[in-house]
Amino acid sequence: MPRTPEYRENVNEMGEVPVLVHGGKKLSQSGVCLTYLAERSGKFRPDSEDERLEALRWIIFDNQKLNGYLGPYRFLRTLAKQPGDPTVLGFLKGRIDNSLGILDKRLASRPYVLGDHPTIADLSLVAYLYYPPEEFGFDIAANHKNIAAWLDRIKSLPGWRHPYDVMPGHPLPGR
Ligand SMILES: N[C@@H](CCC(=O)N[C@@H](CS)C(=O)NCC(=O)O)C(=O)O
């Protein structure tokens, strides 16, 4: 659907999901959707200008260098009709390992990405990290103890649900 001309014309010219429709607004880019939801609800909202900028810094890092690589990696490895080229997968895995290392170090000295309370920066960064290790071929939590503890912390927050429990279309047909 996101690739059809109709979708680009009527839903999102960038040809991507997610898209958030709320009242008269139609928003895309997960960081924009998260910012809007945090401002509207007051939940997971960075507290000050410094926090807002810091959250944006981590959301951009995430979109480009963590989930921005994990998404295509998982797609090529697990979902694509043609298996991914090993050179491409190797390149992406190297970038993912580097980004996971940066995040793990960040979380060594603070419970959440910005400090002592969870914000939209955490919600952006966890995006793909609860998917089963088999989908990646490596176990993120087993190899990064600070990320593992942070994922448990977020999982304990009120209202947390596994992505497969809230997204339509899982399990995929034939899997
Ligand atoms: N930076 C965007 C990335 C969105 C994105 O790449 N979404 C994927 C699915 S998870 C998509 O729509 N891919 C379709 C395509 O690239 O053709 C965001 O955070 O919303």
Side-chain angles (χ1 to χ4, degrees):
M1 302 167 352
R3 296 220 166 110
T4 63
E6 292 74 24
Y7 185 92
R8 290 178 186 205
E9 186 63 31
N10 301 320
V11 184
N12 181 4
E13 67 193 318
M14 296 175 185
E16 294 180 330
V17 292
V19 171
L20 173 69
V21 179
H22 184 237
K25 289 202 189 305
K26 186 158 57 182
L27 303 174
S28 75
Q29 290 299 333
S30 56
V32 172
C33 300
L34 285 169
T35 301
Y36 175 77
L37 291 171
E39 283 173 6
R40 277 295 170 110
S41 68
K43 293 179 181 169
F44 303 105
R45 186 174 55 187
D47 278 342
S48 59
E49 183 186 44
D50 283 353
E51 274 208 358
R52 278 193 291 282
L53 293 173
E54 191 63 359
L56 182 58
R57 194 166 78 93
W58 282 97
I59 288 170
I60 292 171
F61 172 80
D62 169 57
N63 282 193
Q64 186 188 356
K65 293 201 164 159
L66 182 54
N67 288 296
Y69 289 127
L70 264 175
Y73 184 84
R74 172 173 170 267
F75 175 79
L76 288 173
R77 211 185 157 275
T78 304
L79 303 171
K81 290 192 183 93
Q82 301 290 327
D85 181 319
T87 309
V88 174
L89 286 172
F91 170 80
L92 292 173
K93 178 68 165 57
R95 305 295 287 178
I96 292 163
D97 286 343
N98 185 55
S99 300
L100 288 170
I102 289 167
L103 178 61
D104 199 63
K105 183 163 180 289
R106 174 81 181 180
L107 292 166
S109 55
R110 43 178 81 69
Y112 297 102
V113 170
L114 297 196
D116 62 3
H117 60 281
T119 66
I120 51 174
D122 300 275
L123 301 188
S124 184
L125 283 153
V126 298
Y128 277 79
L129 305 189
Y130 289 107
Y131 288 139
E134 311 83 78
E135 294 185 2
F136 300 114
F138 58 94
D139 190 333
I140 293 169
N143 295 321
H144 301 88
K145 67 178 171 46
N146 301 315
I147 291 178
W150 168 72
L151 289 174
D152 283 345
R153 232 171 268 133
I154 291 174
K155 204 171 169 176
S156 307
L157 295 173
W160 182 89
R161 304 265 304 276
H162 191 278
Y164 281 157
D165 292 336
V166 288
M167 284 197 301
H170 184 80
L172 296 172
R175 286 175 196 275

